[in-house]
Amino acid sequence: MKTNPGAKKRFTLTGTGKIKRKHAYKSHILTKKTKKRKRNLTYFTTVDKADEKNIKLLLGKK
């Protein structure tokens, strides 16, 4: 199965098999958001367990 190009840009697999993603809401209309909120949106987080199976399929993994 081919890898989905959109998913390839957005997600990365960790060594333990979890999926890393960036936070949303950090690209525009930043003036009304607090410094703390913008700072916390900077960091990576992991994908929810419920979505992992579908994302792994898009990435062409098992």
Side-chain angles (χ1 to χ4, degrees), residues 13-61:
L13 281 171
T14 64
T16 57
K18 294 178 184 173
I19 303 168
K20 271 193 336 187
R21 68 169 176 86
K22 286 198 79 162
H23 284 279
Y25 308 112
K26 183 77 196 305
S27 58
H28 59 94
I29 316 176
L30 298 172
T31 52
K32 64 175 81 169
K33 295 172 186 154
T34 63
K35 288 180 184 178
K36 180 180 179 180
R37 184 172 165 195
K38 289 185 281 192
R39 184 173 62 246
N40 288 332
L41 290 172
T42 299
Y43 307 111
F44 282 87
T45 186
T46 54
V47 168
D48 193 67
K49 188 88 171 126
D51 300 321
E52 275 189 11
K53 183 180 175 187
N54 289 330
I55 293 169
K56 281 186 179 179
L57 281 173
L58 291 172
L59 293 173
K61 306 293 179 196

